[in-house]
Amino acid sequence: MTINTQRIEATLAERGLTKAEFAACCGISRQNVSTIIRRGTCEPKTAGKLAAGLGVPLSEIIKEV
């Protein structure tokens, strides 16, 4: 699944969250968050965790192909 990394980065900046804090909210490792943001892709289940960690619908953080 392709992730809108700019949207995630912008939301983290708006909320003043570090990637480590975001990872803790999502229940995944900081390293995994960094890898996802660098690559721009992840599994659908992980995308759901990212959206939940940000408190936004999944549709807001995925890129339409």
Side-chain angles (χ1 to χ4, degrees), residues 8 12 18-38 42 46 49-50:
I8 292 174
L12 292 178
T18 65
K19 288 179 185 170
E21 292 167 333
F22 175 50
C25 291
C26 297
I28 59 178
S29 72
R30 182 210 45 83
Q31 185 176 8
N32 198 10
V33 167
S34 293
T35 300
I36 291 165
I37 290 173
R38 186 177 65 251
C42 68
T46 305
K49 289 180 181 183
L50 296 175

